[in-house]
């Protein structure tokens, strides 16, 4: 008997059913071929080195998202097939075993995904497999935006906005009609394809921090709807007026859902438009919520059009800066042990909960790089990749370059003070008391600067510096001025090098 051909939808950063054009393509292909019978296999590949690449909190978020995706797919009378192995080795074998004729997936710019796609394309061509990739991770097709700018990367937000003004954003789509049993392959009920538990992946879930932001499409949609119902809040939203150190987040925390594709950026866009169109006035980009979403589009466009976007060397938009190396300082920063309570509280919140406010990211990124420690933004980006639930290849690199004044932002003389910045929105230091409990009993006047507290105060508060909490690893007042000089010199050298490269007229 002739084997029944299969259609694969390969889920990666599109862990959702709603507004999933590529999944709809796969389903349509199976439906159209129903009288000839085709099997549908929605797959997700868990790579063997996942534990080295994805931090614990993000791995939990991913597994929760996969469980939710599987349950949403089952409502359509199909399921998620989890495959374990290296995608570029495993999929070609399955192409033969499953008689794959058609493969659909989301078009992404993440470098790992681009590299995988290159390999798969080559195999598919040889095996005569039809591949469909759809733009659905961003509001705009960033490659078309680049084309509109003659292939050049828009280096400012305003330039980017001018390029997308007038582009009609298509409506989102829904997939609601269940598939027939004909689409189920014979091994449909095999447990081998079930979503693994964290234990299966070698993680002890009970040892993890409490889960503050559970993963999944259902959670993402609920969170979006909850915020969109607060119309006044949305219309008045101005990012600089939100707080980096409130105990509960002052922004939406939709980022982990958007990054994993549990939530469609296009749906977010249309919901925001709906709220804005129904209001007499609302805030505007760059500070509005729509403006935040446009920052994402901006960095995606820059990431798509720039070689080596996540590196300094070989990256044409990145200023070359002779960063230093200091593993001890890097470790102290990553573990929240710098002796600067505001910086440490942020880094500990990041490690525990997987999300920190944008301005908190500003604070710690500036501190690590041009502000205090003079360590490369690439090192900071790696730590963020490990800890962030919302880790995103282009947003992480783009924002790190911004904060280190390596690209997009050039006012390197504007340095965040690890003492004054946090005080603006949290005079009492409640945020520090929560995340750096050693300092919980410190009098308010010393909570941001414990090194100023007399020994007797330290003893009474139960936290002696150098014993219970580290002494500060650098003196900000002194070091940030020295670093500013180094930035100035680096800028000068880059300018001279650029001038030398320019052809003489
Ligand atoms: C050093 C550094 C690294 C960062 N790394 C990441 C990352 O890996 N992944 C990530 O999603 N964001 C990253 N950001 C951007 C930003 O901090 C987060 O997107 C934002 O804080 C997420 O919280 P939210 O969902 O509550 O944002 P909101 O203020 O509610 O904004 C809504 C959405 O807009 C987008 N957005 C908001 N701010 C930005 C921004 N500055 N750049 C791009 N998109 C934005 C996000 O998708 C966000 O979910 C980084 C920022 C810095 C300074």
């Amino acid at each position: 008997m002739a084997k029944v051909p299969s259609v694969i939808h390969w889920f990666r950063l599109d862990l959702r059913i709603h507004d999933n054009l590529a999944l709809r393509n796969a389903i349509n292909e199976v439906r159209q071929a129903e009288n000839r019978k085709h099997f549908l296999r929605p797959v997700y590949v868990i790579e063997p080195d996942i534990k080295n690449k994805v931090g614990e909190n993000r791995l939990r978020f991913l597994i929760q998202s996969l469980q939710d995706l599987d349950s949403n797919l089952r409502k359509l009378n199909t399921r998620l097939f989890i495959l374990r192995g290296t995608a570029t080795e495993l999929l070609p074998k399955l192409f033969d075993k499953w008689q794959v004729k058609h493969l659909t997936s989301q078009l992404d710019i993440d470098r790992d995904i681009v590299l995988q796609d290159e390999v798969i394309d080559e195999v598919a061509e040889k095996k005569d497999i039809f591949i469909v990739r759809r733009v659905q991770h961003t509001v705009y097709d960033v490659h078309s935006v680049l084309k509109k700018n003659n292939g050049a990367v828009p280096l400012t937000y305003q330039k980017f906005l001018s390029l997308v003004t007038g582009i009609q954003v298509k409506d989102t789509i829904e997939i609601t009609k269940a598939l027939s049993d004909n689409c189920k392959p014979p091994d449909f009920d095999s447990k081998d394809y079930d979503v693994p538990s964290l234990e299966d992946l070698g993680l002890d879930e009970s040892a993890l921090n409490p889960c503050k932001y559970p993963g999944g499409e259902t959670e993402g949609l609920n969170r979006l709807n909850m915020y969109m119902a607060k119309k006044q809040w949305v219309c008045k939203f101005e990012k600089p007026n939100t707080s980096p150190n409130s105990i509960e987040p002052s922004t939406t925390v939709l980022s982990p859902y958007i990054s994993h594709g549990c939530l469609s950026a296009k749906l977010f866009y249309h919901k925001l438009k709906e709220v804005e169109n129904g209001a007499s006035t609302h805030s505007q980009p760059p500070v509005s919520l729509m403006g935040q979403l446009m920052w994402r589009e901006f960095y995606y466009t820059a990431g798509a059009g720039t070689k080596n976007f996540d590196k300094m060397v070989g990256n044409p938009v990145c200023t070359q800066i002779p960063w230093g190396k200091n593993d001890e300082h890097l470790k102290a920063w990553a573990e929240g042990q710098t002796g600067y309570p505001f910086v440490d509280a942020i880094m500990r919140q990041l490690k525990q909960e997987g999300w920190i406010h944008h301005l908190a990211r500003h604070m710690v990124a500036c501190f690590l790089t041009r502000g205090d420690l003079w360590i490369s933004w690439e090192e900071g980006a790696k730590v963020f990749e490990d800890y962030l639930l919302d880790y995103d290849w282009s947003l992480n690199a783009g924002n790190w370059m911004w904060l280190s004044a390596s690209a997009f932002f050039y006012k390197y003389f504007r340095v965040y003070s690890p003492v004054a910045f946090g005080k603006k929105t949290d005079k009492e230091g409640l945020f520090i008391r929560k995340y750096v409990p050693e300092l919980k009993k410190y009098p308010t006047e010393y909570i941001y600067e414990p090194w100023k507290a007399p020994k007797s105060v330290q003893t009474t508060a139960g936290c002696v510096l150098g014993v219970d909490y580290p002494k500060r690893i650098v003196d900000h007042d002194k070091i940030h001025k020295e670093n500013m000089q180094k930035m100035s010199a680096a800028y000068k050298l880059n300018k001279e090098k650029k001038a030398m490269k320019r052809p003489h007229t």
Side-chain angles (χ1 to χ4, degrees):
M1 208 169 73
K3 272 197 170 177
V4 178
S6 292
V7 175
I8 288 184
H9 174 73
W10 184 8
F11 283 104
R12 282 177 291 177
L13 297 177
D14 59 328
L15 305 182
R16 64 172 186 274
I17 309 286
H18 75 273
D19 199 31
N20 196 328
L21 294 161
L23 174 64
R24 186 178 67 173
N25 279 134
I27 290 177
N28 284 347
E29 194 56 35
V30 168
R31 282 212 177 104
Q32 277 158 20
E34 226 158 11
N35 45 359
R36 282 171 284 134
K37 198 167 176 172
H38 273 42
F39 294 139
L40 177 68
R41 290 188 186 264
V43 305
Y44 183 90
V45 186
I46 298 184
E47 299 270 334
D49 61 348
I50 188 152
K51 256 175 59 186
N52 304 333
K53 281 191 151 180
V54 178
E56 293 174 348
N57 285 337
R58 186 147 61 92
L59 196 51
R60 174 170 61 187
F61 189 95
L62 173 68
I63 293 299
Q64 290 165 339
S65 301
L66 294 175
Q67 284 162 346
D68 188 52
L69 181 61
D70 182 45
S71 124
N72 290 340
L73 283 166
R74 284 181 193 270
K75 290 177 197 149
L76 296 175
N77 200 27
T78 179
R79 66 167 292 180
L80 186 61
F81 291 80
I82 297 286
L83 309 173
R84 306 275 295 268
T86 305
T88 48
E89 289 168 12
L90 194 58
L91 285 175
K93 287 183 196 147
L94 292 174
F95 288 164
D96 293 333
K97 187 173 164 198
W98 291 346
Q99 295 279 299
V100 176
K101 295 285 172 241
H102 213 97
L103 180 137
T104 67
S105 69
Q106 169 167 292
L107 188 71
D108 274 297
I109 65 160
D110 179 293
R111 274 309 109 105
D112 287 348
I113 292 186
V114 171
L115 291 176
Q116 279 180 339
D117 283 348
E118 281 170 11
V119 177
I120 294 298
D121 279 358
E122 217 173 285
V123 179
E125 197 177 332
K126 282 186 199 139
K127 295 185 188 290
D128 215 14
I129 295 169
F130 191 67
I131 294 201
V132 172
R133 286 206 187 91
R134 302 298 300 261
V135 174
Q136 55 185 27
H137 199 39
T138 43
V139 175
Y140 302 103
D141 174 356
V142 292
H143 293 287
S144 307
V145 178
L146 286 169
K147 216 166 162 187
K148 209 170 162 195
N149 202 33
N150 301 319
V153 169
L155 289 176
T156 66
Y157 182 78
Q158 289 309 331
K159 175 70 191 172
F160 168 78
L161 284 190
S162 74
L163 289 168
V164 297
T165 302
I167 298 181
Q168 193 68 27
V169 178
K170 287 203 180 121
D171 284 342
T172 54
I173 59 134
E174 287 296 335
I175 304 169
T176 49
K177 198 172 153 226
L179 286 136
S180 80
D181 283 346
N182 264 350
C183 310
K184 293 178 173 175
D187 55 354
F188 185 85
D189 292 319
S190 168
K191 298 256 167 260
D192 293 350
Y193 301 123
D194 283 358
V195 178
S197 64
L198 283 173
E199 273 72 20
D200 293 335
L201 297 176
L203 268 189
D204 176 6
E205 190 162 6
S206 63
L208 299 188
N209 286 302
C211 178
K212 195 159 179 184
Y213 308 108
E217 175 178 18
T218 309
E219 278 287 334
L221 287 171
N222 285 344
R223 205 169 175 91
L224 176 71
N225 292 333
M226 179 189 65
Y227 278 104
M228 294 305 108
K230 299 202 274 180
K231 294 191 169 66
Q232 281 235 346
W233 183 82
V234 171
C235 291
K236 286 191 174 150
F237 184 97
E238 290 192 347
K239 190 67 164 268
N241 296 337
T242 60
S243 163
N245 45 7
S246 51
I247 299 295
E248 287 307 317
S250 58
T251 54
T252 64
V253 195
L254 286 173
S255 52
Y257 303 92
I258 300 174
S259 298
H260 284 80
C262 301
L263 182 65
S264 151
K266 202 144 49 88
L267 179 66
F268 188 18
Y269 172 91
H270 282 301
K271 292 270 181 191
L272 281 173
K273 272 273 170 229
E274 219 176 279
V275 175
E276 290 187 352
N277 289 344
S280 49
T281 57
H282 56 81
S283 51
Q284 297 289 333
V287 294
S288 61
L289 260 184
M290 182 62 89
Q292 303 315 300
L293 192 52
M294 291 301 113
W295 279 113
R296 180 172 187 271
E297 299 290 312
F298 167 72
Y299 285 120
Y300 258 81
T301 310
T306 308
K307 264 194 203 153
N308 301 310
F309 191 65
D310 57 350
K311 297 182 179 60
M312 179 179 81
V313 175
N315 176 344
V317 304
C318 185
T319 304
Q320 306 297 300
I321 297 168
W323 302 110
K325 196 171 155 46
N326 188 326
D327 289 343
E328 235 174 78
H329 281 182
L330 177 62
K331 190 163 179 260
W333 174 82
E335 293 184 352
Q337 297 286 349
T338 66
Y340 280 93
F342 186 39
V343 172
D344 292 344
I346 296 168
M347 291 307 291
R348 293 186 196 186
Q349 183 191 27
L350 171 61
K351 201 170 170 186
Q352 282 168 33
E353 296 172 8
W355 181 90
I356 49 175
H357 186 276
H358 181 60
L359 295 174
R361 300 182 201 210
H362 274 224
M363 175 70 251
V364 294
C366 181
F367 187 88
L368 180 77
T369 57
R370 65 192 167 85
D372 296 77
L373 302 185
W374 198 254
I375 291 174
S376 166
W377 62 267
E378 286 180 58
E379 295 298 333
K382 276 187 223 154
V383 173
F384 269 30
E385 176 172 356
D386 197 17
Y387 291 163
L388 276 176
L389 290 179
D390 64 26
Y391 165 70
D392 178 299
W393 183 80
S394 56
L395 302 196
N396 197 37
N399 276 288
W400 269 100
M401 281 190 267
W402 178 293
L403 259 301
S404 58
S406 299
F408 313 117
F409 171 81
Y410 304 98
K411 294 177 182 165
Y412 61 80
F413 39 84
R414 280 206 200 157
V415 171
Y416 288 94
S417 156
V419 173
F421 185 50
K423 279 189 188 170
K424 280 204 240 169
T425 39
D426 178 21
K427 283 197 177 47
E428 305 285 316
L430 298 180
F431 179 77
I432 293 173
R433 291 176 208 279
K434 175 168 182 190
Y435 292 100
V436 189
E438 305 94 295
L439 298 170
K440 206 165 154 184
K441 294 193 180 136
Y442 260 57
T444 298
E445 64 176 310
Y446 301 121
I447 191 78
Y448 284 87
E449 302 170 276
W451 56 87
K452 286 192 176 164
K455 205 53 175 265
S456 58
V457 173
Q458 296 184 23
T459 311
T460 312
C463 177
V464 174
L465 295 197
V467 179
D468 306 301
Y469 179 68
K471 292 182 177 169
R472 56 192 174 150
I473 56 173
V474 287
D475 177 350
H476 172 76
D477 288 343
K478 196 164 154 271
I479 201 90
H480 84 276
K481 289 182 189 141
E482 289 171 22
N483 289 345
M484 239 182 250
Q485 306 268 317
K486 291 191 204 164
M487 284 300 287
S488 167
Y491 267 44
K492 203 166 157 232
L493 196 66
N494 274 265
K495 209 169 155 193
E496 284 165 10
K497 278 190 183 157
K498 267 192 196 150
M500 272 163 66
K501 272 192 198 154
R502 238 175 266 138
H504 294 287
T505 47

